[in-house]
Each structure stands twice: as C-alpha cells, then as structure tokens.
Amino acid sequence: MWQWKEFSFAFGAKTTTSAVLALAAGTALLVVLLVVRMRQDEEERRRSLAQLVFAVLATSLSLVRVIMLPLGFGDRFVHRTLGVVDTVCLGLAITLTLIHLFLDVIPSRFHKRVPPIIAEVVAMVALVIIVLGALGDSVAKNVSSLVATSAVLTAVLGLALQSTLSNLFAGLALQMDRAFSSGDWIQVGSREGRIMEVRWRSTALRTKDGDLVLLPNSKMVNEEVHNFSRPLERRRVWLKVSFHYRHPPNEVKAIITDCLRGVPGVMSDPAPDCFPREFGESAITYAVRLWVDKFERTSEIEGEALTRIWYAAKRANLEIPFPTRTLLMSSDDGSKRDLEAKAERARRIEVLSRMDLFESLQPNDKELLADGMRHATFAAGQAIIEQGAPGASMYIVTKGQVRVSLARGNASRDLATLGVGDFFGEMSMLTGEPRAATCWAVGDVDCYVVDHDAMGRVLSASPNIADELAVVLLDRQTEVKKEAADLSREMRQEARVGLVTRIRNFFDLKS
C-alpha cells in the first residue's frame, strides 16, 4: 500500500540519493522543456511558461541541496526546508507538463479543445497532494486531524469557501452539460456577449462594444441563458415599420420584401417576409422578418435593412406618417403648394427639352409627358434595372451616377457610367423588350421615371411621334454598336419600319 513515507523518500529532504535524484529529474525535465520550447510559437510558449519556471526553480534548489550535503547541512532545518520547496516545485513542473501535454497539445492535434477549468481543477488537486506529500506523513496526519476535529475551523472554512466552491462546481457542471462553449454568443439576464472562456470561478464574456464582463458560474447555472449560436449561428430579426392607411397592404408587402433582396448579411433562404401587425392611430404597423447569417452583425444588418426600406418607400411614394393632427390651412399655404407644383412641372419640361429622344415632341406633348412622370430615389450599390428582367419604363438621371454593366455567362464588364441628364431603359419603355443591361447606383441616385402609361397618353394624342422616336432609337443603337457606317439605306429603312411596328404594337396604336 502506498504510504506518504514512500512519497517523501522519493522526493525527500534528507538523503543524498533523494537530492541527486531530484537534481537529475529536474535537469532532464528542464532540458526537455527547452528543446520543445524551441519548436513552439509565441502563443504556445506563453502557455508553457509556468512549467518552465517551476522546472528551473526545482533544478536550482536541487543543485543547492547537493552542494550543501558535503558541507554538513544534510540534517539541518534549512536543508529540509529546501527539500520540501524543491519537491513542490518539481512536482508542479511535472504535473503542469503532463496537463499541458494531455489536455492541450494532444487534443489540439485532433482539433479538440479541453475547457481551461478542467486543467485548473486538476492543477489545484495535484498541488494539494504534492504539498501534503512533501510535508510528510506526520504533518499530513496532523493537518487531517486538525481539520476533522475542529468544528469551528470546519465551519469557518465552509462559510468562507461557500461561494468559491459553488462557482467551481457550477463551472464543472456547465462543461459537463455542454450547453455552450467558447465562441458562442449568449445572453444572461441583461448581459449579452461572446464567451471567451469558462474559468474555475467565472465565465468571461466579450460584449459587442468590446467590453469584458465576468459572470459568476453560479449565476450561469441558476439563471436563464439564451444561446444565440446554437443550434445554428443564423438568427431571425424582427423590424417594425409603419405606413399610411391609403397604401394597400399587399402593395406594401411586395415593395418591402423586394427591396430586402441582396442586402449584405440577409439570408435568401429563408427569404425575408412582411405582414401587417397592428392598425395604429395614424398608420398600419408592419412586421418585417429576416434571417441574418452572423449574430454579431445583427445591428449593422438591421440598419442597412431599414435604410433600404426607406429608399424603397420613397421611390414608391409610400408615406411614413407622423401622428395625425387636424390642422386649419390658410389660403396662403394652398398658394405656396401651387407654386411648388408649377416649379416642379417646369423642371420636368426643361429636362425633357434637353433630351434628343424627345426633341421632336411639341410643347403640349412635353407638358403631357411631364405630368405623367414620377420621381424615384435609389440607394448606393442598388440595382436600378437588371439585365433580362421585364420592364416598361425609362429613367432620366437628375442626381448622382449610374454604372451600366453587361453579363456574358459568368463574366461581367462595365459598359459606361451615366451622369445627370443621361437616360436609360428607353427601349424597354417603347417596345417592351427585356432589359439589355444592368444599371447600378454608384452613389445615391435621383431619377425621373417615364413609364408605359405616361408615354402611351402622348402617343395616343400624336401617333406620328412613333416614327420620329424610332429614328432616334435607331441612331442610338447603331452609335453604341458602331455599325452606322455598315448599314445601307435599305437596311436602315427596314430597321426603322420594324422598330416603328414594334412601338405601335406595344402601345396599340392604329397604323
């Protein structure tokens, strides 16, 4: 049966043999640690520093003991004290080395990670055993008797260590339960953050703001814990927006869900959805649900989603109302609105007058077309029209820049950058053809939109304009494709007639 005496003899403080063995063991361990340390990176060296320090102390103390023996200090108190300290240092060096090997190095080779609290508990238990073993059998018995027979001391220790032991066993329970691990995003009460590590007394969290929060392990066990990283890292986010009662819910739902496609961080599967949630005093409140791929980016993704919703609402003239109040408007306010409307109409007519596409329109035709135009705003990086998509409207840039790109297979190349006064989408508006290219908003872009209905009213009043529009369209096409010099008169006439026919058919004009 193993006795404390044998432990004391192996690492004892009296005999020459024990001192030499301790020196040999410490030296061998120190050499091994130094050789291994040469192949470690900076992080591994930092984690293995403790065993190196204890190995150096053990070797130094053993060397001092061996030197003191020939001088006659073998049985003296100093030599025995050095022996105890030497034994503790050597035992700790060996224990920490074994812990580092079996709980850190080997698991990492298999892409596993042992919680730090396990290593800390093993190290504490080993420390108690080593210290008692180094003190000797009689001292260990005295300590055991003192603890067992002293009710007062037992009570004091129990009360003093109650919180510590509670946190220790709670930490072990958390690791055995495997409900979460390092790297998970959790919420405990009002605290939210990513788990850095579960220690023997507390769990360290790093918040989204970069702050470090230490939560006692007992609180983690006793309170409700939300794990946002399991079973999957993705998470559904709820947003609230309100629009005026005059907007049909189906129209609002379609606009919102469409504008959220392609928002960075918003998952396409499951797709975002929207539905009315509440009929408020002055607006209908809609719930917008979307899935995000990274919990830590939730706030950023929510902000981008709300930004896209605002731009989409502005383009579609969806009103986000203020609280409703009944006001008495004076005639001066009505006159001001009339002046603003006239100024806006004049701006639209001026924009149309500068366009070669509508150069042949008469003043009354331009006024009619201006009345049917609407304003649209696009966010930076948003696709205004997409290649291959159906369309029946054209866009006139009044603010910002638009990048035109063409996709061929898996490759895409930029064709042009349009600025204020330029327009695009006219072929789809006049013939109904699918979009020939994709146009992106470089920054925030404002446009006037001329749709099929507005152009149809003009053509219905003056059908002959179709011929003149066909000529301008043909010139623009051949200029872009650099084919004007290669087209004969007959070919140009044939192309013009075909284009006129398509325009008339699209607008149901009589020949």
Side-chain angles (χ1 to χ4, degrees), residues 180 184-195 205 208 215 219-220 223-229 235 295:
F180 47 78
D184 288 355
W185 283 93
I186 66 170
Q187 180 178 359
V188 184
S190 61
R191 299 294 187 179
E192 179 184 288
R194 167 173 276 174
I195 298 177
L205 301 182
K208 290 182 178 180
L215 294 179
K219 184 175 183 179
M220 301 282 290
E223 293 196 12
E224 185 179 82
V225 179
H226 289 193
N227 192 336
F228 300 113
S229 300
R235 179 172 183 259
F295 174 78

Side-chain angles (χ1 to χ4, degrees), residues 216-452:
N217 289 331
S218 58
K219 184 175 183 179
M220 301 282 290
V221 172
N222 296 327
E223 293 196 12
E224 185 179 82
V225 179
H226 289 193
N227 192 336
F228 300 113
S229 300
R230 298 188 185 185
L232 298 174
E233 194 171 358
R234 68 184 186 182
R235 179 172 183 259
R236 187 163 66 180
V237 174
W238 290 68
L239 303 175
K240 268 196 328 181
V241 291
S242 300
F243 295 101
H244 200 280
Y245 274 95
R246 68 169 175 268
H247 305 303
N250 285 337
E251 176 184 343
V252 174
K253 288 158 58 178
I255 291 172
I256 291 179
T257 54
D258 183 67
C259 77
L260 292 177
R261 294 191 182 97
V263 175
V266 174
M267 301 179 63
S268 58
D269 184 22
D273 62 355
C274 172
F275 53 88
R277 190 65 183 270
E278 180 185 0
F279 292 110
E281 294 182 358
S282 57
I284 301 177
T285 300
Y286 294 84
V288 182
R289 301 186 303 180
L290 47 92
W291 288 85
V292 300
D293 56 0
K294 297 292 184 182
F295 174 78
E296 61 266 30
R297 297 183 58 237
T298 300
S299 299
E300 175 187 345
I301 296 172
E302 287 180 357
E304 181 62 23
L306 290 173
T307 300
R308 294 291 181 92
I309 292 174
W310 185 90
Y311 280 103
K314 188 173 180 62
R315 286 196 302 275
N317 292 322
L318 298 180
E319 181 183 354
I320 304 176
F322 296 101
T324 301
R325 297 290 185 270
T326 301
L327 302 177
L328 297 177
M329 308 296 293
S330 65
S331 58
D332 291 340
D333 294 329
S335 301
K336 182 179 180 180
R337 289 197 303 272
D338 291 340
L339 291 175
E340 291 176 350
K342 289 180 181 179
E344 173 62 20
R345 190 168 188 249
R347 282 194 295 270
R348 296 182 179 186
I349 294 174
E350 182 182 0
V351 169
L352 294 174
S353 300
R354 291 198 298 264
M355 298 173 58
D356 56 352
L357 180 62
F358 300 127
E359 185 177 1
S360 59
L361 267 62
Q362 298 300 316
N364 57 332
D365 295 328
K366 293 179 182 178
E367 293 175 358
L368 184 60
L369 186 60
D371 292 337
M373 294 166 59
R374 58 185 175 87
H375 184 263
T377 302
F378 297 90
Q382 188 173 3
I384 302 175
I385 60 175
E386 296 185 11
Q387 182 177 343
S393 57
M394 65 172 292
Y395 298 81
I396 308 169
V397 182
T398 59
K399 175 187 174 183
Q401 290 184 326
V402 175
R403 177 170 55 87
V404 183
S405 64
L406 181 66
R408 296 289 188 186
N410 295 329
S412 177
R413 63 187 181 91
D414 293 342
L415 298 180
T417 301
L418 307 179
V420 175
D422 294 329
F423 57 92
F424 55 94
E426 68 280 0
M427 186 61 72
S428 296
M429 187 265 292
L430 291 172
T431 66
E433 289 184 358
R435 302 297 189 184
T438 301
C439 295
W440 304 87
V442 177
D444 284 3
V445 172
D446 288 345
C447 293
Y448 282 132
V449 182
V450 181
D451 57 25
H452 176 269

Side-chain angles (χ1 to χ4, degrees), residues 44 47 100-114:
E44 290 176 333
R47 295 201 302 267
H100 179 67
L101 176 63
F102 289 102
L103 299 184
D104 189 5
V105 176
I106 294 179
S108 64
R109 295 295 184 267
F110 295 94
H111 304 286
K112 302 292 184 180
R113 185 177 184 274
V114 177

Side-chain angles (χ1 to χ4, degrees), residues 12-27 58-74 78-79 82-83 86:
K14 290 185 177 181
T15 65
T16 304
T17 304
S18 65
V20 173
L21 289 177
L23 177 61
T27 304
T59 304
S60 302
L61 292 174
S62 299
L63 180 61
V64 172
R65 290 173 57 202
V66 171
I67 295 174
M68 292 176 64
L69 286 173
L71 302 178
F73 292 96
V78 175
H79 189 276
L82 290 178
D86 178 21

